[in-house]
Amino acid sequence: MRFRTGVLIGLAVGYYFGAKAGRERYDEIEAWLDKVRATTVYQDMQEKVTLGWRDGSTAARRMVADTAFGSRDDDPTEPMDLGSIFSDPTLN
């Protein structure tokens, strides 16, 4: 089901940006998308995706840093200071 949804979204985006049907159809699609973007469902989903992307990228960075430089004992929500690690000449 996810694959089918992805294909449909890909085709829609390709058609939207390609605008093969002309300017009138492009304006029609743009108006429809503006209506969709104005809904609370779309805005909630956009917020969830954005937060999920941030949380996922933060977790991935933390996992790489913990694997490469060892796990940290301090607060894991604080960003890791990599300046002291990269400036250490013994690690080069």
Side-chain angles (χ1 to χ4, degrees):
M1 185 68 176
R2 289 183 197 179
F3 178 76
R4 234 184 273 162
T5 304
V7 168
L8 289 174
I9 290 171
L11 288 172
V13 169
Y15 186 75
Y16 173 75
F17 285 115
K20 296 223 179 225
R23 185 68 185 181
E24 291 172 1
R25 182 66 179 150
Y26 172 82
D27 291 337
E28 212 174 279
I29 293 170
E30 185 67 33
W32 180 78
L33 286 175
D34 286 341
K35 288 179 186 177
V36 170
R37 290 180 193 128
T39 64
T40 57
V41 173
Y42 176 85
Q43 292 170 358
D44 291 344
M45 185 61 70
Q46 184 180 24
E47 184 178 343
K48 287 179 185 178
V49 168
T50 303
L51 292 174
W53 180 262
R54 283 188 201 143
D55 291 345
S57 63
T58 301
R61 280 195 305 269
R62 186 172 294 122
M63 187 183 340
V64 168
D66 288 349
T67 302
F69 306 114
S71 120
R72 303 178 311 157
D73 294 331
D74 55 348
D75 186 8
T77 60
E78 289 295 316
M80 187 173 192
D81 179 24
L82 297 177
S84 60
I85 294 171
F86 289 125
S87 63
D88 185 359
T90 60
L91 293 176
N92 292 332

